[in-house]
Amino acid sequence: MDVSKRRWAGRALGLAATALLAWSPPHASAQAQSGDLVVFAAASLKNALDNVNARWSKETGRKAKISYAATSALAKQIEQGAPAQVFLSADPRWMDYVANRKLIKPETRSNLLGSRIVLIAPRDKAGPVDIKPGFELARLLGDGRLAVANVEAVPAGRYAKAALEKLGVWASVSGKLAQAENVRAALVLVSRGEAPLGIVYRTDAAADPNVRVAGSFPENTHPPIIYPVALTANATHPAAAAFLAYIKSAKARPSFETQGFTVLSDGRS
C-alpha cells in the first residue's frame, strides 16, 4: 500500500473509531446496562430511531439502550452472545446470517423500511451530477477519493459497489476508495472535507447539513435497500415485544419518513 493509500486508510479508520465511540459500541452498552432493553441497529438509523425511542419513552416511561454500528459488526456481536433483544439490520443478508444460526425469532421478522443511495459532496462543493451509465466519476474525484462504507461487508458499501458495477464505472474508481467501517463514518469523511464525494443512504445525507446530494442512483442499479427487524432468539426482556410493535406502528412512521425512509410496515402493529 502506498503512502497516499495508508493516509486515507488511517483517516477512515480514525473517523470510524471516533464515530463508533460516540454511538456506544454494542458490547460496551450491553455490559454497562445489562438490565436494560438493548437494541442493536444499523448506524444509518440513528437519527430516526433516536426520535422513535424518545417518543416511546415519553409515552411509556421506558427507554431502550440503542447501540449503533455497521450491520455486519452487530450481527457478529449477536453471534458472539451479545445480549441484544431487538436487531434492526440494514439489509436482508445479515438478518439471514443470524437467522440461519437460529439467533432470531423468525416469526417476529419483518421488513420495516426502504431507502435509496445517493452521491454526496461537501455542501459548498461541486454541482449536480447526472448519474448514468459511464458517468465520469473518476474525473469528478480528481486526486481525491470516494468515501464509502466497506464494500465487502457493510450493506451501504455493497449497494454502492453494485451500483457502480452496473453503471460501468467501478473499474475506474475501485483504486480510489476511502473505505470506512460504516456508512456514518463515510458520511463524516465528506462532511469534514476529507473526501470530495461519497456514497451514502439518502437518509444519512439528510442528517448532515455539511453535505449536499449531488445525484441519486437509479433503483435498478442495485438490489432493493430493505431494513428488516426481528427479536433475537434470547429476547426475554418484558419490553422487547412492545418496543418492536411500537417501531412498526403508525406512531413511529413520521420519525422514519422525516428522515427520508420509506416505511414498509403496514402500521397495524
Side-chain angles (χ1 to χ4, degrees), residues 23-234:
W23 298 332
S24 180
H27 62 278
S29 176
Q31 290 172 350
Q33 303 289 345
S34 59
D36 292 315
L37 171 60
V38 178
V39 176
F40 280 9
S44 51
L45 288 166
K46 179 171 174 55
N47 295 73
L49 198 56
D50 277 353
N51 187 267
V52 172
N53 192 23
R55 291 171 62 92
W56 185 65
S57 179
K58 184 176 181 180
E59 292 184 22
T60 67
R62 298 174 291 191
K63 189 172 184 178
K65 294 293 182 179
I66 306 178
S67 293
Y68 299 98
T71 293
S72 52
L74 296 172
K76 293 288 188 178
Q77 288 279 346
I78 292 172
E79 184 180 23
Q80 292 166 13
Q85 307 282 303
V86 183
F87 179 39
L88 289 93
S89 170
D91 75 346
R93 175 175 161 178
W94 282 108
M95 187 64 80
D96 290 343
Y97 180 91
V98 294
N100 291 339
R101 288 158 176 77
K102 303 186 185 307
L103 297 173
I104 63 167
K105 296 180 179 180
E107 70 278 9
T108 68
R109 177 176 175 172
S110 64
N111 292 332
L112 180 66
L113 304 168
S115 190
R116 299 283 300 275
I117 54 171
V118 296
L119 185 70
I120 59 169
R123 182 179 57 188
D124 58 348
K125 304 289 185 181
V129 176
D130 184 12
I131 297 178
K132 60 184 180 181
F135 78 110
E136 297 183 335
L137 181 56
R139 181 184 62 79
L140 294 171
L141 287 171
D143 294 330
R145 293 189 176 273
L146 179 67
V148 291
N150 184 288
V151 299
E152 299 302 327
V154 181
R158 293 205 317 269
Y159 291 130
K161 180 180 179 181
L164 296 176
E165 287 179 331
K166 181 74 171 180
L167 293 165
V169 300
W170 171 252
S172 67
V173 300
S174 60
K176 306 182 73 172
L177 302 180
Q179 294 193 61
E181 190 166 342
N182 60 59
V183 69
R184 283 297 175 99
L187 175 71
V188 170
L189 284 170
V190 179
S191 179
R192 292 186 179 179
E194 296 284 344
L197 294 169
I199 300 176
V200 299
Y201 296 119
R202 174 179 60 190
T203 50
D204 297 301
D208 192 326
N210 294 318
V211 304
R212 60 189 296 274
V213 174
S216 297
F217 286 86
E219 291 184 279
N220 63 359
T221 60
H222 55 78
I225 298 174
I226 295 172
Y227 287 69
V229 62
L231 295 181
T232 61
N234 58 1

Side-chain angles (χ1 to χ4, degrees), residues 49 52 86 88 112 229 242-249 252-253 256:
L49 198 56
V52 172
V86 183
L88 289 93
L112 180 66
V229 62
F243 184 79
L244 177 63
Y246 191 84
I247 63 176
K248 294 167 62 178
S249 74
R253 177 183 287 264
F256 292 121

